[in-house]
Amino acid sequence: VQLQASGGGPVQAGDSLSLSCAVSGRTGSSYTVGWFRQAPGKERDFVAAISWNTGSTRYAASVEDRFTISRDNANSAVYLRMNRLKSEDTAVYHCALHPTGRFVATEGYRYWGQGTLVTVSS
């Protein structure tokens, strides 16, 4: 399984940005794709996730009214739309895959892609 995150860059506070995660390989039919982020000097945190087979979603409390996760079955991609960005959203964003789609997991992800850096200036 391979995951490739893209779409990061520098933005101003209040701006919007969309990240993409391309998923490939032998994923099976039931899995969850999640977004995590790691700010400088901090631990990696869960941001959002979506079950590939049910479409159920889950968000961290800090982003649930600003971020939207979605999936594109045809293109095997997962997107993270980030609105009203804040300086505290600055981090490297990683997408990852959890090998079950029966529930939307926030930990225990098995496959990870390289991250994409989002820098929000105030």
Side-chain angles (χ1 to χ4, degrees):
V1 175
Q2 295 82 41
L3 300 103
Q4 180 63 53
S6 61
V11 295
Q12 297 290 318
D15 285 353
S16 297
L17 192 66
S18 289
L19 304 182
S20 300
C21 176
V23 181
S24 61
R26 300 181 65 178
T27 60
S29 59
S30 177
Y31 57 92
T32 297
V33 176
W35 285 96
F36 294 76
R37 66 186 181 186
Q38 186 165 20
K42 295 186 177 181
E43 294 186 352
R44 185 170 60 198
D45 291 328
F46 169 79
V47 176
I50 186 166
S51 166
W52 192 261
N53 44 313
T54 69
S56 297
T57 59
R58 192 167 181 179
Y59 296 90
S62 59
V63 307
E64 62 182 349
D65 61 340
R66 300 183 294 123
F67 291 10
T68 302
I69 190 170
S70 61
R71 73 190 194 287
D72 182 345
N73 291 34
N75 293 305
S76 295
V78 171
Y79 307 105
L80 185 68
R81 176 65 175 177
M82 305 183 294
N83 296 322
R84 305 196 308 277
L85 283 160
K86 306 175 181 179
S87 57
E88 51 262 45
D89 295 318
T90 293
V92 176
Y93 285 71
H94 297 266
C95 58
L97 187 144
H98 190 290
T100 184
R102 293 183 292 108
F103 57 91
V104 185
T106 61
E107 58 185 13
Y109 282 70
R110 184 176 299 176
Y111 304 98
W112 294 82
Q114 291 188 333
T116 184
L117 176 63
V118 174
T119 304
V120 185
S121 301
S122 57

